[in-house]
Amino acid sequence: KKVLIYVDQKRRDSYPAERIRKELKKCGINVKISGKISFLPTVAYWKPNVIIFGKHDGFHGDWLRNIHDSYIFSLGTEQGTTYKSFLEKTWIQGHVYPRLPAHEFVDCFLVYNEFTKSYLDSKLKNTRVEIIGSPRLYSKKLHKKARPLKGKNLTIGIICGEDKTNFSTVLNFFKQY
């Protein structure tokens, strides 16, 4: 088996792509990671069995419309939202583009939470949707306290655990620190 992982934004997507690649290699799977310039030539020449992709709208959707004989996973970029209006805008309508997202060319959508799965199941009939959580957890070890940025009056934290999709619960959690 051959798996191709597409990296749309190098800074954001490289680390999670590398983590996925390492895990798949442990299973003896041949994995390549490609960016915008090398993606289409890699698909044409290497002929992957599986492609792990991100957003499937805009020109990315056009790419997917022209790929055959590969199983396409679309890794959700909804960021764990619980707002139907946001999902409608980002998933169903997509970015402003002459064509709608290429839903019908995705074999399986990988999403953050049950809310998104339920919403997509109701909108995209006969579509496979699986909950995987966030693939963008950048630390191997989770911390109970947010770490402040040096020299900045700003703290960035990632919250994991029960009911992480309820904004008021998340806000109350961060107020503890």
Side-chain angles (χ1 to χ4, degrees):
K1 293 283 182 194
K2 297 185 286 187
V3 175
L4 178 61
I5 302 171
Y6 174 65
V7 170
D8 183 39
Q9 293 182 20
K10 186 177 179 179
R11 223 174 101 191
R12 178 192 68 199
D13 301 336
S14 293
Y15 183 71
E18 183 60 25
R19 286 178 72 179
I20 294 168
R21 185 192 69 77
K22 282 182 182 178
E23 290 303 314
L24 292 174
K25 283 191 79 110
K26 288 178 188 177
C27 300
I29 297 172
N30 190 0
V31 183
K32 288 186 186 278
I33 297 174
S34 73
K36 287 182 179 119
I37 293 172
S38 63
F39 180 75
L40 291 176
T42 303
V43 170
Y45 177 75
W46 195 54
K47 299 184 181 3
N49 305 100
V50 174
I51 297 173
I52 301 174
F53 210 76
K55 203 79 164 113
H56 58 286
D57 69 346
F59 69 89
H60 292 116
D62 288 343
W63 289 357
L64 295 182
R65 288 177 179 92
N66 291 289
I67 296 173
H68 305 285
D69 300 323
S70 291
Y71 192 90
I72 309 289
F73 285 100
S74 178
L75 200 54
T77 58
E78 81 286 351
Q79 309 297 337
T81 188
T82 55
Y83 296 105
K84 286 182 181 180
S85 61
F86 182 78
L87 290 174
E88 180 68 29
K89 182 180 170 192
T90 59
W91 278 89
I92 307 305
Q93 296 170 8
H95 290 94
V96 176
Y97 195 70
R99 284 169 291 289
L100 290 172
H103 302 301
E104 67 278 12
F105 292 91
V106 174
D107 297 293
C108 182
F109 293 96
L110 305 174
V111 300
Y112 283 41
N113 58 28
E114 181 62 43
F115 181 85
T116 303
K117 177 181 176 17
S118 296
Y119 184 78
L120 292 182
D121 284 341
S122 73
K123 292 288 189 174
L124 306 174
K125 302 298 181 197
N126 302 316
T127 300
R128 184 171 178 197
V129 182
E130 299 293 336
I131 301 168
I132 63 163
S134 174
R136 294 184 183 153
L137 292 176
Y138 295 105
S139 179
K140 290 181 182 178
K141 181 181 173 189
L142 299 177
H143 298 272
K144 292 188 179 188
K145 282 179 115 177
R147 293 173 288 181
L149 296 173
K150 293 180 182 174
K152 305 280 184 195
N153 189 15
L154 173 71
T155 301
I156 298 173
I158 298 173
I159 186 164
C160 300
E162 288 184 46
D163 207 11
K164 58 192 169 292
T165 59
N166 182 321
F167 183 73
S168 62
T169 304
V170 172
L171 186 59
N172 288 336
F173 178 83
F174 276 108
K175 283 181 180 177
Q176 292 176 19
Y177 299 98

